Amino acid sequence: MESAALMKHVRVFVSDKKVTNHSLRHRMADRLLTAGVENGIKNMIGGWSEGNVSERYGGDDARLEVATKAMLTAFPEAV
C-alpha cells in the first residue's frame, strides 16, 4: 500500500500531524522491544531484515502464530 493511501486510513483515527507511517513503525518497534519480543520476530512483524537466510524459515501458519502471540504481548489492550 502506498504511504499516502495508508496515511488516509490512519488519519481517520489519528489527527495529530506528528504521527506518520514512519513514527508508527518506530512505535511498533518500541512496543515489541519493551514486550521482550526477540529480534527475529520483531523484524518479521515490522518487515525489517537482518539479512539472515534463517529469517525465511518456517511455514506461513507457524510465522503467523508467532507474530500473533508477539503482537498480543506488545499490545494487550487490543484484545
Side-chain angles (χ1 to χ4, degrees):
M1 181 177 279
E2 289 186 27
S3 181
L6 178 58
M7 281 311 305
K8 179 181 176 182
H9 293 285
V10 170
R11 288 289 168 242
V12 171
F13 300 98
V14 182
S15 60
D16 183 349
K17 297 295 181 186
K18 293 179 184 177
V19 175
T20 64
N21 295 336
H22 187 73
S23 67
L24 291 173
R25 285 175 55 85
H26 278 271
R27 181 69 177 136
M28 170 76 72
D30 289 346
R31 291 287 294 262
L32 292 168
L33 179 66
T34 59
V37 174
E38 62 184 78
N39 277 338
I41 297 168
K42 181 181 67 144
N43 292 339
M44 178 180 62
I45 291 169
W48 301 287
S49 175
E50 294 177 352
N52 298 329
V53 172
S54 63
E55 289 178 359
R56 296 187 295 267
Y57 291 158
D60 290 342
D61 290 343
R63 295 168 61 86
L64 179 60
E65 183 177 335
V66 167
T68 300
K69 287 178 183 176
M71 293 295 287
L72 291 173
T73 300
F75 297 92
E77 68 277 6
V79 178

